[in-house]
Amino acid sequence: MGIVGLGSMGMRHVKGFLQERDCRIVAVCDVDAERRAAAVRAINKHYANSDCTAWNDFRELLSRADIDTLCISVPDHW
């Protein structure tokens, strides 16, 4: 799974999806570098690895062949 948008709602989605046994977050995307880094830290800590990658441009995240689903949590002005 990839997550686009890591503001308050996006991080709530991250926390929720981390509780799902049949879901694995492998990539995140946000224009804010601090939000990206915080999300990657939380995800990698949860999975006890360093597999989650961070992207500034959602198109790069979408180009990954291992992403089956996407959660988009951006404001409506986007």
Side-chain angles (χ1 to χ4, degrees), residues 2 12 24 31 38 40-42 44 46-47 54-55 63 65 67-68 71 73 75:
R12 279 183 258 165
R24 189 168 229 21
V31 295
V40 167
R41 279 192 305 273
N44 285 339
H46 176 81
Y47 294 131
W55 304 93
S63 70
I67 304 240
D68 296 322
C71 176
S73 301

Side-chain angles (χ1 to χ4, degrees), residues 4-6 29-36 55-58 78:
V4 177
L6 298 164
C29 177
D30 197 283
V31 295
D32 185 307
E34 290 180 33
R35 288 181 178 176
R36 283 193 312 265
W55 304 93
N56 184 57
D57 187 332
F58 74 94
W78 275 87

Side-chain angles (χ1 to χ4, degrees), residues 18-39:
L18 287 175
Q19 303 310 309
E20 299 296 325
R21 291 188 300 160
D22 60 347
C23 177
R24 189 168 229 21
I25 302 170
V26 296
V28 295
C29 177
D30 197 283
V31 295
D32 185 307
E34 290 180 33
R35 288 181 178 176
R36 283 193 312 265

Side-chain angles (χ1 to χ4, degrees), residues 24-27 40 43-44 47-54 64 66:
R24 189 168 229 21
I25 302 170
V26 296
V40 167
I43 293 164
N44 285 339
Y47 294 131
N49 63 32
S50 59
D51 294 346
C52 184
T53 59
R64 290 184 52 161
D66 62 336

Side-chain angles (χ1 to χ4, degrees), residues 3 5-15 71-74:
I3 308 270
L6 298 164
S8 62
M9 182 56 73
M11 283 306 292
R12 279 183 258 165
H13 289 313
V14 166
K15 291 173 185 172
C71 176
I72 302 173
S73 301
V74 296

